[in-house]
Amino acid sequence: MSLPPPAARPRRAPLALRVAAHEDLGGGLRWLTLAAPDVAAAAEPGQFAHVRCGGGLGPDGALGTRRAYSLADADPDRGTVSLLYRVWGRGSVWLSQRRPGEVLDVLAPLGTPFRLDPHRTPVFVAGGTGVAPFIFLARRARQKGLRPLAFVGARTAAELAGGEFLAAAGAEVAVATDDGTAGFAGTVVDLVVRALEETAAAGGLAGPSPALYACGPHAMMAALAAACAAHGWPLQVSLETPMACGIGICLSCTVPGPRGPGFYRRCCVEGPVFDAREVAWE
Amino acid sequence: MSDLTTRLGPLTLRNPVLLASGTAGFGRELAEYLDLAGLGGIIVKGTSPSPWYGNPGPRTVETPSGLINSIGLENPGLRHFLEEDLPWLRTQGATVIVNVVGRTVEEYAAVAEGLAGADGVAALELNISCPNVKAGGIQFGHDPRLAAEVTRAVKAACGRPLFVKLSPNAPDVPAVAEAVLEAGADGLSLINTYLALAIDVARLRPVLPSVFGGLSGPAIKPLALRWVWEAHARFRVPIIGMGGIREWSDAAEFLLAGAQAVAVGTASFTEPRTAAFVVEGLRKWLDERGFATVGEVVGLAHRAIDGEEAVPLGQS
């Protein structure tokens, strides 16, 4: 067996992507659409884009490391991908000022996507901007003939993000707020566990048994992982850890798993989506 | 057309641009973005006798023009390197330099011994300067006597060209340099990261669980250049220069200060093709300025201030 000469291999490169649309959704949220036909065709739900942002103090004004954003949607027909993000730090403030026509330096798609179980009802559990990957995943689930349920949580009604996008993508959406200003008064984990338990008590879901997919604050996902373990529900989580390179060389974003070989896995390559059982939650 | 070949004592590289240890893994990820055979080589992740887990996160924090890291030398160990990584690197045509780490002199020597019989290891880089592990690493890098001892043991275990990577955090860096050179090092890698701190104002505590980490990136380039300059002036030994290199002109500065080769590190995190761009930029610069070889520019900036002769200007 002989390998082709290295120079003949196709190589990846950061892409120059034009901003096609950029919407202010209110509440500090933005919806950014990039013209990216190749990314739109290749991307899978759960993958992310690594965006070079300005606003830094480096020699060229760029931040020293890229910023990772979940792919919130991909439209292969229009050749676009979209990001849903919250404006809060240097990178996202700079990003929020980009106008249609401007070109961004983006590495995408990166990371390991969700593995959608075709035999179970998809149940999405999102906290804050954790809804982003589920818009894309809801669309993909509907394409595969599945009927996804989405549970979205926030501290208060004003911070509930992206529910309308989830509904538009074909998910049935229920919301929870800690202060009860919208939907269920309590945590989204309490809401989803109660809903699934009640459904089970009433004779099970109308369709197949549930498979859960979650993205949100660590405490939310740790609580959900415990509940899923107790009920025997499969759970995939999309994690966010401080990331530098996004391609697996810096080992910044590692996630601890069960002790043993490969104890730490890279959130950017082996993740961001992990089976909840492969993550040490403590 | 300039000849990019560069000689570092017993080690010859096809060009002066390396990937820095700890910022390129074992090459697989960056090979998706650049041709490893087009670089001077890769200095692989610090390799210990058995696998090391590394530190709990967060492991890095960005600072103005820099990145503070506390990875903790996570690596899959010598055996994995020899069985999986080295054979693959050879299929890529990469020149391989192995960064060697250990907790004790015996562990360092064990890695060197394991590498002695391996085909395709061009040189060793002795890591006595990682600020992020308690045992091993830094204790050897701060004490000239221990540094010499570990250098001697590694050189005895493996006769390959040996570069010792020094810590700028040592109380007396020149004393450590002198000690390792006397102990048999063929050259120096200058420099490792600067001990640094970032505090999370919202959480009222250090960002990194380890409190301190090592600062890399453009912030330390002028500091690294100073050490390369001093080492060249004082010892005239082969030097691999590193610290904040992002583009060809940064690399040119290191060559002019006295390095025969450079390593690109943190910049690969943002632009994975950086090292390849630096090679092309250096090639163009040498051509345009009429330098036939890399050797002609090594340490050239010293001449201007030493008054030996005028630096040739604008010969293109």
Side-chain angles (χ1 to χ4, degrees):
Chain A
M1 191 194 77
S2 71
L3 292 158
R9 289 177 40 189
R11 292 186 200 283
R12 301 189 66 160
L15 305 169
L17 303 182
R18 192 173 46 80
V19 176
H22 205 169
E23 285 175 66
D24 186 347
L25 304 179
L29 296 172
R30 292 284 201 290
W31 182 264
L32 172 66
T33 300
L34 301 168
D38 294 347
V39 182
E44 296 286 338
Q47 291 187 301
F48 66 95
H50 216 24
V51 183
R52 194 160 191 194
C53 294
L57 302 173
D60 59 2
L63 285 170
T65 54
R66 292 170 185 268
R67 294 295 183 269
Y69 299 102
S70 269
L71 293 173
D73 213 347
D75 187 336
D77 297 331
R78 290 187 185 171
T80 59
V81 294
S82 298
L83 313 176
L84 170 65
Y85 66 96
R86 186 179 297 283
V87 183
W88 70 278
R90 265 180 222 277
S92 54
V93 167
W94 178 87
L95 191 61
S96 71
Q97 294 155 0
R98 297 312 98 199
R99 297 170 176 281
E102 288 191 59
V103 173
L104 301 178
D105 175 338
V106 181
L107 272 169
L110 296 176
T112 299
F114 286 107
R115 296 161 296 278
L116 199 56
D117 186 331
H119 305 297
R120 289 169 177 267
T121 299
V123 177
F124 307 150
V125 186
T129 48
V131 295
F134 297 124
I135 299 163
F136 190 6
L137 190 58
R139 202 177 294 291
R140 188 58 60 87
R142 289 300 294 248
Q143 284 163 0
K144 291 180 184 290
L146 297 165
R147 303 188 65 81
L149 309 175
F151 296 85
V152 180
R155 278 178 299 190
T156 185
E159 294 179 2
L160 274 172
E164 65 279 21
F165 287 89
L166 273 173
E172 189 181 316
V173 181
V175 303
T177 50
D178 294 346
D179 64 2
T181 47
F184 176 79
T187 72
V188 68
V189 174
D190 289 341
L191 173 62
V192 69
V193 169
R194 183 174 302 191
L196 292 177
E197 281 175 346
E198 281 174 3
T199 314
L205 288 170
S209 54
L212 283 81
Y213 307 84
C215 183
H218 185 86
M220 179 204 99
M221 291 201 284
L224 185 63
C228 285
H231 288 82
W233 298 324
L235 170 65
Q236 292 172 40
V237 291
S238 175
L239 300 182
E240 183 174 12
T241 63
M243 197 177 275
C245 73
I247 61 171
I249 55 175
C250 74
L251 307 187
S252 297
C253 64
T254 49
V255 174
R259 280 268 172 190
F263 167 51
Y264 281 115
R265 263 91 36 79
R266 298 166 294 184
C267 193
C268 64
V269 175
E270 284 80 38
V273 177
F274 293 96
D275 186 311
R277 293 169 300 183
E278 295 171 1
V279 177
W281 290 103
E282 289 312 305
Chain B
M1 192 76 168
S2 309
D3 179 5
L4 283 186
T5 308
T6 186
R7 287 195 50 205
L8 296 96
L11 175 67
T12 300
L13 301 174
R14 62 172 73 90
N15 69 56
V17 183
L18 300 158
L19 293 169
S21 181
T23 61
F26 296 89
R28 288 179 204 267
E29 295 82 6
L30 284 174
E32 298 287 319
Y33 295 88
L34 48 70
D35 178 10
L36 294 174
L39 305 178
I42 173 174
I43 312 176
V44 301
K45 183 102 178 98
T47 296
S48 49
S50 54
W52 285 7
Y53 286 135
N55 294 338
R59 290 174 164 189
T60 54
V61 54
E62 188 175 330
T63 57
S65 281
L67 187 72
I68 305 176
N69 87 80
S70 179
I71 307 298
L73 290 171
E74 177 180 339
N75 80 93
L78 175 66
R79 185 171 163 189
H80 187 277
F81 171 74
L82 291 174
E83 292 178 0
E84 306 287 336
D85 301 310
L86 184 58
W88 180 85
L89 281 163
R90 297 190 72 194
T91 68
Q92 302 299 299
T95 298
V96 180
I97 299 174
V98 182
N99 184 283
V100 177
V101 300
R103 293 186 188 86
T104 61
V105 173
E106 290 71 27
E107 285 195 0
Y108 278 102
V111 176
E113 209 174 303
L115 296 169
D119 288 330
V121 175
L124 271 50
E125 179 178 72
L126 184 58
N127 186 347
I128 54 168
S129 46
C130 178
N132 297 323
V133 293
K134 287 196 188 76
I138 206 73
Q139 79 199 39
F140 293 101
H142 281 198
D143 180 336
R145 192 181 52 80
L146 285 174
E149 188 185 341
V150 71
T151 300
R152 216 173 284 118
V154 165
K155 192 67 184 174
C158 179
R160 307 274 164 92
L162 177 63
F163 293 79
V164 180
K165 188 168 182 177
L166 300 186
S167 166
N169 308 308
D172 188 345
V173 177
V176 178
E178 189 167 7
V180 300
L181 290 168
E182 274 178 11
D186 296 291
L188 304 172
S189 279
L190 302 170
I191 55 158
N192 210 317
T193 54
Y194 273 80
L195 207 58
L197 171 67
I199 291 179
D200 184 333
V201 173
R203 294 169 62 243
L204 310 176
R205 67 181 72 177
V207 176
L208 304 176
S210 58
V211 183
F212 300 140
L215 179 66
S216 63
I220 69 164
K221 191 190 80 177
L223 306 171
L225 272 170
R226 171 252 173 147
W227 289 120
V228 170
W229 179 282
E230 287 203 23
H232 177 80
R234 182 155 170 187
F235 302 113
R236 298 281 159 156
V237 293
I239 294 170
I240 302 170
M242 64 201 72
I245 294 173
R246 306 168 67 247
E247 53 192 27
W248 72 265
S249 61
D250 299 324
E253 284 192 69
F254 276 92
L255 299 181
L256 291 166
Q260 284 78 9
V262 298
V264 172
T266 307
S268 299
F269 295 168
T270 309
E271 170 49 85
R273 300 170 298 177
T274 301
F277 293 157
V278 171
V279 173
E280 285 322 303
L282 282 180
R283 189 192 306 280
K284 191 159 171 276
W285 172 62
L286 292 171
D287 277 349
E288 286 177 1
R289 298 300 297 258
F291 295 113
T293 65
V294 172
E296 288 178 28
V297 299
V298 172
L300 193 58
H302 290 258
R303 279 207 232 159
I305 59 118
D306 292 347
E308 289 172 23
E309 61 185 270
V311 178
L313 291 170
Q315 292 183 350
S316 56

